[in-house]
Amino acid sequence: LKERMSQILKTTNPLYETDFVAWTKQTVQLIRARQFEQVDWENVIEEIESLGRSDRRELKSRLEVLLQHLLKWQYQSNLRSGSWRNTIDEQRNRITDLLQESPSLKSYPEEVLAECYHRGRKAASNETELPLDMFPIECPYSITQVLDAEFLPEVIDS
């Protein structure tokens, strides 16, 4: 097996750049075979780091969409739909899942709330065609409210 792994590495050195799935399979085989000296550690490290960044990006994206829909819910109550409520619930569910899978991210939503609110505010303005200044400059909801499955903001009709 060791000779086979060595042969694979010699013939597919740029595998990480050309076939990521094959690279991951090869890397797993090498680690399971305890052939650590042949593992492409630089790219393994890069991939592990990117997993953490990916979770943070996903959390921010979902928080932005959630805030956008909370604003729409609050400022365009006459246009509310089941779809809006489903989007609110879906974003909260996925955020909850991410936080359960990665408890170290528990404080992250609060850390990025202001940034996500500004993006969600802009998206809400774009989608509703309401002027941006109709929405509060600062997030009117606490992170506890935003993530609370039962919370929906009070109506402000435009």
Side-chain angles (χ1 to χ4, degrees), residues 41-106:
W41 288 112
E42 287 304 312
N43 285 319
V44 168
I45 291 166
E46 185 176 315
E47 290 305 317
I48 291 171
E49 287 175 339
S50 81
L51 290 173
R53 287 190 303 270
S54 175
D55 282 354
R56 287 190 299 273
R57 275 192 306 271
E58 180 178 355
L59 208 152
K60 282 174 72 172
S61 174
R62 292 192 178 280
L63 193 52
E64 289 166 16
V65 172
L66 175 54
L67 289 162
Q68 170 192 355
H69 279 77
L70 290 174
L71 287 170
K72 287 170 44 177
W73 187 270
Q74 185 171 21
Y75 285 82
Q76 283 198 322
S77 61
N78 59 322
L79 297 178
R80 286 180 182 166
S81 68
S83 173
W84 287 6
R85 182 60 200 249
N86 282 341
T87 297
I88 290 168
D89 289 346
E90 174 71 13
Q91 299 312 309
R92 284 178 170 151
N93 290 339
R94 297 296 75 80
I95 289 169
T96 298
D97 291 348
L98 278 167
L99 295 176
Q100 286 174 346
E101 292 169 9
S102 298
S104 65
L105 289 176
K106 185 179 181 191

Side-chain angles (χ1 to χ4, degrees), residues 5 8 21-22 26-27 40-41 46 53 57 62 67 79 81 87 93-95 108 113 130 136 139 144 146-148:
M5 290 296 164
I8 290 172
V21 172
Q26 177 188 82
T27 302
D40 177 6
W41 288 112
E46 185 176 315
R53 287 190 303 270
R57 275 192 306 271
R62 292 192 178 280
L67 289 162
L79 297 178
S81 68
T87 297
N93 290 339
R94 297 296 75 80
I95 289 169
Y108 192 65
L113 180 61
L130 293 173
C139 185
T144 303
V146 171
L147 299 179
D148 180 349

Side-chain angles (χ1 to χ4, degrees), residues 95-146:
I95 289 169
T96 298
D97 291 348
L98 278 167
L99 295 176
Q100 286 174 346
E101 292 169 9
S102 298
S104 65
L105 289 176
K106 185 179 181 191
S107 65
Y108 192 65
E110 189 166 11
E111 292 170 21
V112 297
L113 180 61
E115 176 186 352
C116 292
Y117 174 74
H118 290 288
R119 292 177 181 174
R121 177 179 178 248
K122 177 75 167 111
S125 174
N126 290 343
E127 195 165 307
T128 62
E129 297 184 349
L130 293 173
L132 187 61
D133 62 7
M134 174 161 280
F135 304 105
I137 293 173
E138 301 299 323
C139 185
Y141 324 118
S142 70
I143 194 62
T144 303
Q145 290 173 317
V146 171

